[in-house]
Amino acid sequence: MTGYIPTLEQIDELHRKIAPSKAAYELVHTHCVIVATIGCQIVRRQNALFTRRCTLPKDAEVPPTAGVTGGHVPPRLLDEHLVLIGGLLHDIGTYRVFKHDGSDGEPLKFSKKRYILHGLKGYEYLLDEGVDESIAQFCRNHTGVGLTREDVVRQELPLPPADYVPMNLEQEVVMYADKFHSKSVPPKFLQVEAYTARAERFGGENKQRWLDLVAKYGVPDIPALAEKYGMRMI
């Protein structure tokens, strides 16, 4: 470990330090809170499946855990606190890809051309702030359902050719949880079917990666979350 693991208070400070406006902070930080919430729900489900793997018949159905249904038994217990931290920081780089950042009162709008850079921007920002690499990777490795070097080259993305994919289960959970909520203005929740349609736009292989994640981690109770946060759902 070469950096520090931020506390919840330090995470909020990291957001406020880089946010160009109150409106930008509220949009991005709220999204991160929601993704962290979904991620922790998924971890509880995974850990419930893991701890009950030896006590239930192989074909037995485990009741929903933290609102999450389905999912496969993981190879180990997952670190919920790590997912919480990663979820709260994963999109911190989006502050640096606004086209209109709200600083002069204009409506928020992301730059479509530069948005793909937000993961790398967040990764670099956290490293510059002394945050440990293991945490900064949550920013770098959460875009889409994982960007491979081949994806970057084939799609001619404005990123250094490299793999931008989760390095462990916790990073993968945050990447997956992120797909259920959008920072569109106004923000909204997405159900499995809605993101399936988005994933399919990038090809059948991309769609299958998404469906594999759904099977692996189960389905959160998105209607309940949309109601809790008073946001629309598609």
Side-chain angles (χ1 to χ4, degrees), residues 24-234:
Y25 167 82
E26 290 177 349
L27 179 69
V28 175
H29 185 263
T30 299
H31 168 75
C32 287
V33 169
I34 289 171
V35 169
T37 298
I38 296 172
C40 288
Q41 290 176 343
I42 293 169
V43 168
R44 289 170 202 157
R45 174 62 173 178
Q46 288 286 287
N47 288 346
L49 291 172
F50 183 84
T51 55
R52 299 182 69 177
R53 72 195 187 285
C54 296
T55 60
L56 290 174
K58 188 174 182 180
D59 58 350
E61 289 189 13
V62 178
T65 310
V68 182
T69 57
H72 297 159
V73 176
R76 61 170 174 82
L77 289 171
L78 277 66
D79 186 335
E80 183 175 341
H81 188 64
L82 182 58
V83 167
L84 173 63
I85 294 173
L88 289 173
L89 286 170
H90 79 283
D91 250 1
I92 202 163
T94 56
Y95 292 118
R96 290 188 166 166
V97 294
F98 276 107
K99 183 176 182 179
H100 302 302
D101 63 15
S103 58
D104 60 359
E106 78 272 26
L108 295 172
K109 184 177 182 180
F110 288 107
S111 167
K112 291 183 179 180
K113 184 177 180 180
R114 299 182 64 245
Y115 189 80
I116 192 68
L117 297 170
H118 78 276
L120 191 57
K121 294 287 186 182
Y123 172 77
E124 293 169 346
Y125 169 64
L126 292 185
L127 291 182
D128 287 345
E129 291 296 316
V131 175
D132 193 70
E133 166 85 15
S134 65
I135 303 302
Q137 284 181 357
F138 280 91
C139 298
R140 184 185 184 278
N141 300 334
H142 79 273
T143 301
V145 289
L147 284 174
T148 65
R149 181 186 181 92
E150 290 73 21
D151 292 330
V152 173
V153 173
R154 184 180 69 255
Q155 298 177 40
E156 298 182 340
L157 300 176
L159 288 166
D163 288 325
Y164 300 89
V165 297
M167 304 296 288
N168 53 45
L169 295 176
E170 286 79 8
Q171 289 180 26
E172 190 171 68
V173 164
V174 170
M175 179 187 74
Y176 177 57
D178 181 49
K179 308 292 98 72
F180 290 101
H181 188 259
S182 169
K183 296 183 302 300
S184 57
V185 182
K188 61 180 177 287
F189 283 89
L190 288 80
Q191 298 189 85
V192 167
E193 296 77 12
Y195 194 81
T196 301
R198 287 192 178 190
E200 192 169 20
R201 295 205 301 259
F202 297 95
E205 182 180 344
N206 195 70
K207 176 184 176 181
Q208 190 57 52
R209 285 187 212 165
W210 164 247
L211 294 176
D212 289 345
L213 288 169
V214 174
K216 182 175 183 178
Y217 290 113
V219 180
D221 189 348
I222 298 304
L225 287 164
E227 182 178 359
K228 175 182 177 180
Y229 285 94
M231 295 181 184
R232 62 193 176 115
M233 176 183 68
I234 61 172

